[in-house]
């Protein structure tokens, strides 16, 4: 997401690319959600993106995102905020207060922390992060351990499991991205999960 003049045109181009990719894959573009990653961008940039029609915004860090969300609470009241970065257990209360969706749940310990700090009858939507590449630099549960974490998430109070999240390898281009995205897709289908959080600026078409 960029804050310079022309966001409408750039957004239109991204949506056109999504449409073209969906045509090649035989998918309905309406089934694809576009999340504008607003990390490091000021609140006014989010305002411009919101005015251009975007409603889903992703933040990497709880502290930065929480401040931005609070500042924009009235202006973008129907925006949906996604925490896409790693979540530490000590940041869970702030994450639950400000974010609608947590994309990076990767352990039973984190699930338990979410349940323990969930206010009243509150709920939060989550994705389980799967590390399909095995890269040490990436968070996420292994594919072999994902089944147990999926079952635990489904039994965790206040948690609504939307699907799986993964990040493609840095190296390998579209071919590596296709392989990386195929594993969680098959795993999600096996467990009846309908949503997949994956694809960034350089590989979302895969």
């Amino acid at each position: 997401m960029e804050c310079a003049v022309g966001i409408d045109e750039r957004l239109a181009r991204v949506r056109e690319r999504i449409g073209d990719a969906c045509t090649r894959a035989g998918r309905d573009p309406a089934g694809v959600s576009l999340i504008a990653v607003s990390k490091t961008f000021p609140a006014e940039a989010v305002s411009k993106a919101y005015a251009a029609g975007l409603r889903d915004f992703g933040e990497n860090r709880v502290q930065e995102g929480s401040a931005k969300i609070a500042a924009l609470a009235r202006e973008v009241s129907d925006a949906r905020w996604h925490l896409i970065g790693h979540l530490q257990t000590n940041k869970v209360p702030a994450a639950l207060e400000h974010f609608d969706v947590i994309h990076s749940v990767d352990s039973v310990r984190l699930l338990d922390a979410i349940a323990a700090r969930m206010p009243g009858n509150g709920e939060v939507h989550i994705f389980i992060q799967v590390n399909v590449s095995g890269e040490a630099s990436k968070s996420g549960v292994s594919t072999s351990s994902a089944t147990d974490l999926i079952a635990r998430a489904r039994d965790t109070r206040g948690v609504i499991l939307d699907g799986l999240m993964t990040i493609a390898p840095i190296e390998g281009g579209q071919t590596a991205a296709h392989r990386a995205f195929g594993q969680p897709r098959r795993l999600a289908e096996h467990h009846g999960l309908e949503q997949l959080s994956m694809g960034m600026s350089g590989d979302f078409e895969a």
Side-chain angles (χ1 to χ4, degrees):
M1 189 183 73
E2 299 180 32
C3 59
V5 174
I7 189 169
D8 295 273
E9 292 81 359
R10 286 191 296 276
L11 178 58
R13 286 200 295 269
V14 170
R15 285 179 169 156
E16 182 179 2
R17 289 172 60 192
I18 290 173
D20 290 342
C22 284
T23 297
R24 293 193 297 271
R27 289 188 58 186
D28 182 356
V32 177
S33 297
L34 173 61
I35 299 174
V37 179
S38 49
K39 64 174 185 176
T40 74
F41 284 90
E44 53 265 33
V46 176
S47 296
K48 291 180 180 180
Y50 181 88
L54 286 166
R55 291 296 181 270
D56 290 273
F57 299 93
E59 291 284 333
N60 264 39
R61 298 180 183 277
V62 173
Q63 185 173 355
E64 178 191 349
S66 297
K68 204 174 299 180
I69 293 165
L72 292 164
R74 292 186 179 180
E75 187 176 349
V76 298
S77 58
D78 63 336
R80 187 168 164 88
W81 293 93
H82 303 254
L83 180 63
I84 59 176
H86 179 67
L87 176 59
Q88 297 174 313
T89 54
N90 66 323
K91 299 292 179 63
V92 165
L96 293 176
E97 180 181 355
H98 291 99
F99 289 90
D100 302 294
V101 188
I102 299 172
H103 289 242
S104 51
V105 175
D106 60 0
S107 68
V108 170
R109 181 169 176 261
L110 182 54
L111 271 175
D112 289 345
I114 290 171
R117 292 162 177 81
M118 186 70 67
N121 295 320
E123 293 179 336
V124 66
H125 291 257
I126 72 161
F127 287 80
I128 289 176
Q129 183 173 357
V130 182
N131 185 348
V132 297
S133 66
E135 295 174 273
S137 60
K138 288 187 173 69
S139 299
V141 65
S142 67
T143 52
S144 60
S145 301
T147 294
D148 290 341
L149 192 56
I150 289 168
R152 183 65 173 259
R154 283 176 161 157
D155 288 337
T156 299
R157 182 185 67 85
V159 164
I160 300 172
L161 178 59
D162 285 346
L164 305 178
M165 184 270 262
T166 198
I167 300 172
I170 298 174
E171 305 292 336
Q174 295 290 311
T175 300
H178 272 291
R179 285 199 299 267
F181 295 154
Q183 292 182 55
R185 178 180 59 80
R186 291 187 291 272
L187 188 62
E189 289 174 349
H190 178 73
H191 289 282
L193 297 169
E194 296 183 355
Q195 297 187 52
L196 291 164
S197 171
M198 51 194 197
M200 296 189 288
S201 296
D203 56 28
F204 73 84
E205 283 148 318

